[in-house]
Every structure is written in structure tokens, then in C-alpha cells.
């Protein structure tokens, strides 16, 4: 662990809030900024990182230096129990001590080399795995934890517990991200239906779009999906005196990128990315190489804040500004 400059733990109080999606895209983004990155999946019973990085079916190899990560790119390595399963549908039925032993082995025996960032995707809750990873990472000067939540109170209740867990074990909280904060999508990707008095629905999408001026069809529409009470994650973060990093909307294009195991950043030659480009046109990142993704500006802003928190503002400049951030020297 001494060869790893920054260590970031990604936590959530409740499952299904998008923690692994955020971890995967954070790792992709850091690698796209020319950082040397490792992504460690310690969700022993539900490893989803191999799917989200496009690495299903890959296996771990050993050398004299230890276990070798599976590489997506030359500067992005991944380690997960998912690479050890003979069948991806196999259930991992382990008690706490065995889980803790594997986590310790991941942290001690994986040969990451000299890297800038290790992103650790943890399971939800505050179980044995969290206590183990907190103890191991605290001893190696972890930068802190990012807490992922959704806007509704049923999720935020558990996030409060997660923040208190971090405070008790001495892990700094880098900030809270409110994920699935409304649904954002360009108008021409919506379907519209008319509803008769008896409840029958008829698709009237074409009629609606025909009456909508062309310059408005690329406008982004947003609607709330979850009921937000008591101010959502931002108010909770304020009450608990931890930073609030921002909101990420539900975005079908981001979901698709995760399903296809590809980055939401930069260009891609996958079939899904090509279909997205033909449907959406120009990019909001670099030239006209990518479709507009409604969630991407917010995601970029959150990652920029994390780089500033861990490296300092002078080293966190976007690659698009002409500053290349290399690995450790």
C-alpha cells in the first residue's frame, strides 16, 4: 500500500443507490486524466465491478510479486472476487472471518505497482467488511470516504449511520453524492402516451414530436423520481457537518455505459456508443466525439472536487485545459 498515493473508499448506507456505478466511472475518469489507477471491489457477495468495467470472464494471475490486477487500460487495473468465480452466477456463502481474510489478502498481496489512486468499492452497510477495510486503510493513511445516497429519506436514514461509522473509526468523509437526483433525458428520447377514461394507453410520441419545434427536441427534461423530504442529501450533509459534493440525475445513457462496461468519458468504439452518437450528435466533452449525456457535467464537477480535495487545486485541472497529470515519478 505504500506505493499508492491516494486511497478513496466509496460507501453507501443502503444497496442499490449506484455506488458501484460511481466507483467504476470515477476510476475511468481518473485514468482518462492520465492517472495510474487501481479499482478494488470488496463487495464479496455481490461483485459487480467486472461487469461495469467490461471484464467478465477474466481471471487473476499470480507472479512472484503477488496477484496481478486485470487491466482495462495500461493505467487502470481492477481486482475483484468476481474474477475468482468459476460461474458468475455462483453465490458466495462465506462467514465474516473468511471475507475479512480475503479483503486483507487483496490489500496486502495485489501487486498494483506505483499508482496515483486506489478506489475501493465497498458493500453497503457497516458490516465486518467495513470494519476490516477501515482498519487496514486507516493504517495506510486513507484520504477518506465518498458516501453515495439517493434523495429519499429511507436511504438517507442509513447514510447517517454510515457517516457516523466513518467518524467512529477515524475515516475522513470527503463528501456526500446524491445519486438518482431526478431523471434527466433529452425530449426526443421520451415516449408520450394518451390515456383514455378506462385506463387504456395509446402511444402518441410521433404526434407530440411533430408539434415540437426542432430546436426544442434536444432540450433536456428533468422530473423528480423520489419524494424528497427534509432537504435531501444536501441538508443531511449540512446537519452532519460533512461536505456535499453534488447531485447526479438518473441518466439512461450513463446506465447504458455501465451495463456495457465502458466509460462515460471520452470516445468509445462499442456498438452502444456508436448508436448513442448517431442518435445524439455532438459531445459536451471533447469536440463532437460523444453524445450529450445529461449526467456528465455533474459527474465531471464532482470528480474535479475530489481531485482538488486529494491533490490540491493546482493538480486537479481538467485535461481539456491542457494540463496532463502523469503518474508518480
Amino acid at each position: 500500500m505504500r506505493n499508492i498515493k491516494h486511497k478513496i473508499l466509496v460507501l453507501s448506507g443502503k444497496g442499490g443507490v449506484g455506488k458501484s456505478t460511481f466507483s467504476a466511472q470515477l476510476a475511468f475518469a481518473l485514468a482518462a486524466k492520465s492517472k495510474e489507477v487501481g479499482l478494488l471491489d470488496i463487495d464479496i457477495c455481490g461483485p459487480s465491478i467486472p461487469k461495469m468495467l467490461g471484464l467478465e470472464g477474466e481471471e487473476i494471475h499470480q507472479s512472484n510479486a503477488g496477484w496481478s490486477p486485470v487491466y482495462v487500460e495500461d493505467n487502470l487495473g481492477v481486482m475483484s472476487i468476481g474474477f475468482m468465480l468459476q460461474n458468475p452466477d455462483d453465490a458466495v456463502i462465506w462467514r465474516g472471518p473468511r471475507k475479512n481474510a480475503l479483503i486483507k489478502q487483496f490489500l496486502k498481496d495485489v501487486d498494483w505497482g506505483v499508482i496515483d489512486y486506489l478506489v475501493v468499492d465497498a458493500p453497503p452497510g457497516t458490516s465486518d467488511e467495513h470494519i476490516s477495510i477501515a482498519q487496514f486503510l486507516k493504517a495506510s493513511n486513507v484520504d477518506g470516504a465518498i458516501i453515495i445516497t439517493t434523495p429519499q429519506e429511507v436511504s438517507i436514514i442509513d447514510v447517517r449511520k454510515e457517516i457516523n461509522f466513518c467518524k467512529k473509526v477515524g475515516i475522513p468523509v470527503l463528501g456526500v453524492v446524491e445519486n438518482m437526483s431526478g431523471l434527466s433525458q433529452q425530449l426526443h428520447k421520451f415516449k408520450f402516451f394518451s390515456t383514455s377514461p378506462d385506463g387504456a394507453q395509446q402511444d402518441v410520441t410521433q404526434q407530440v414530436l411533430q408539434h415540437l419545434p426542432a430546436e426544442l427536441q434536444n432540450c433536456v427534461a428533468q422530473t423528480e423520481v423520489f419524494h424528497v423530504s427534509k432537504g435531501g442529501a444536501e441538508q443531511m450533509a449540512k446537519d452532519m457537518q460533512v461536505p456535499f459534493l453534488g447531485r447526479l440525475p438518473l441518466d439512461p445513457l450513463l446506465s447504458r455505459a455501465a451495463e456495457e462496461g465502458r466509460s462515460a468519458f471520452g470516445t468509445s468504439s462499442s456498438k452502444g456508443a456508436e448508436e448513442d452518437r448517431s442518435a445524439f450528435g455532438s459531445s459536451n466533452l471533447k469536440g463532437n466525439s460523444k453524445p450529450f449525456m445529461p449526467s456528465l457535467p455533474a459527474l465531471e464537477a464532482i470528480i474535479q472536487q475530489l481531485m482538488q480535495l486529494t491533490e490540491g487545486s493546482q493538480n486537479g485541472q481538467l485535461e481539456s485545459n491542457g494540463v496532463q497529470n502523469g503518474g508518480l515519478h
Side-chain angles (χ1 to χ4, degrees):
M1 300 294 283
R2 63 181 177 272
N3 291 327
I4 301 171
K5 188 173 183 181
H6 300 292
K7 307 167 191 74
I8 297 175
L9 189 57
V10 183
L11 301 173
S12 66
K14 186 175 289 295
V17 299
K19 171 183 54 58
S20 294
T21 299
F22 182 86
S23 298
Q25 295 303 323
L26 172 60
F28 273 131
L30 292 170
K33 297 175 189 297
S34 300
K35 300 295 181 182
E36 298 292 331
V37 183
L39 176 56
L40 175 59
D41 180 7
I42 62 165
D43 193 342
I44 306 299
C45 296
S48 53
I49 288 299
K51 170 71 174 176
M52 293 184 174
L53 274 291
L55 297 174
E56 288 181 298
E58 297 289 342
E59 297 180 353
I60 295 172
H61 300 283
Q62 283 188 297
S63 67
N64 292 334
W67 287 349
S68 298
V70 177
Y71 282 90
V72 184
E73 304 286 349
D74 290 342
N75 64 332
L76 175 53
V78 181
M79 180 57 68
S80 170
I81 192 176
F83 299 138
M84 301 178 179
L85 302 178
Q86 292 185 348
N87 185 327
D89 295 329
D90 287 344
V92 180
I93 307 173
W94 289 2
R95 295 189 184 274
R98 192 173 179 188
K99 292 179 182 179
N100 294 339
L102 181 62
I103 291 172
K104 186 175 181 179
Q105 195 167 9
F106 275 162
L107 292 172
K108 293 182 65 177
D109 295 344
V110 175
D111 180 22
W112 297 105
V114 180
I115 62 174
D116 295 301
Y117 282 92
L118 178 65
V119 178
V120 181
D121 182 33
T126 54
S127 59
D128 280 356
E129 295 98 313
H130 298 81
I131 297 171
S132 296
I133 195 70
Q135 290 174 339
F136 298 147
L137 288 181
K138 185 180 177 183
S140 61
N141 299 317
V142 61
D143 288 74
I146 305 166
I147 314 293
I148 311 296
T149 184
T150 47
Q152 73 275 37
E153 187 65 18
V154 71
S155 176
I156 290 174
I157 287 172
D158 290 334
V159 167
R160 291 191 184 97
K161 299 172 185 175
E162 197 78 37
I163 292 172
N164 282 326
F165 168 83
C166 289
K167 291 179 178 180
K168 287 180 179 179
V169 299
I171 300 292
V173 176
L174 295 174
V176 175
V177 174
E178 185 179 276
N179 196 26
M180 306 184 194
S181 185
L183 169 66
S184 292
Q185 189 169 243
Q186 287 175 303
L187 277 174
H188 72 267
K189 295 297 289 184
F190 279 95
K191 288 188 176 182
F192 299 88
F193 297 87
S194 64
T195 305
S196 65
D198 63 359
Q201 290 188 330
Q202 180 181 359
D203 189 337
V204 294
T205 303
Q206 290 304 316
Q207 295 94 307
V208 171
L209 293 180
Q210 285 173 2
H211 288 84
L212 191 67
E215 64 270 17
L216 296 182
Q217 293 192 18
N218 284 329
C219 287
V220 175
Q222 182 167 340
T223 184
E224 298 302 324
V225 176
F226 300 108
H227 173 66
V228 180
S229 61
K230 302 182 181 179
E234 184 172 11
Q235 184 61 48
M236 181 272 298
K238 182 178 180 181
D239 293 342
M240 300 198 73
Q241 299 182 328
V242 296
F244 180 69
L245 298 176
R247 297 177 177 86
L248 286 175
L250 277 167
D251 181 349
L253 287 180
L254 180 59
S255 174
R256 180 172 183 172
E259 284 288 302
E260 295 178 350
R262 58 183 170 88
S263 173
F265 299 87
T267 60
S268 174
S269 59
S270 73
K271 179 181 177 182
E274 291 296 335
E275 291 175 358
D276 288 345
R277 278 193 282 275
S278 64
F280 286 83
S282 64
S283 168
N284 64 324
L285 271 181
K286 297 180 181 178
N288 295 325
S289 59
K290 272 192 90 276
F292 174 70
M293 189 176 289
S295 63
L296 213 53
L299 185 58
E300 286 184 304
I302 289 169
I303 291 171
Q304 184 71 14
Q305 290 183 72
L306 289 172
M307 292 183 70
Q308 291 172 346
L309 286 168
T310 55
E311 299 183 15
S313 58
Q314 65 180 11
N315 294 325
Q317 298 300 311
L318 286 172
E319 194 176 308
S320 58
N321 290 339
V323 179
Q324 299 285 339
N325 290 317
L328 298 177
H329 301 290

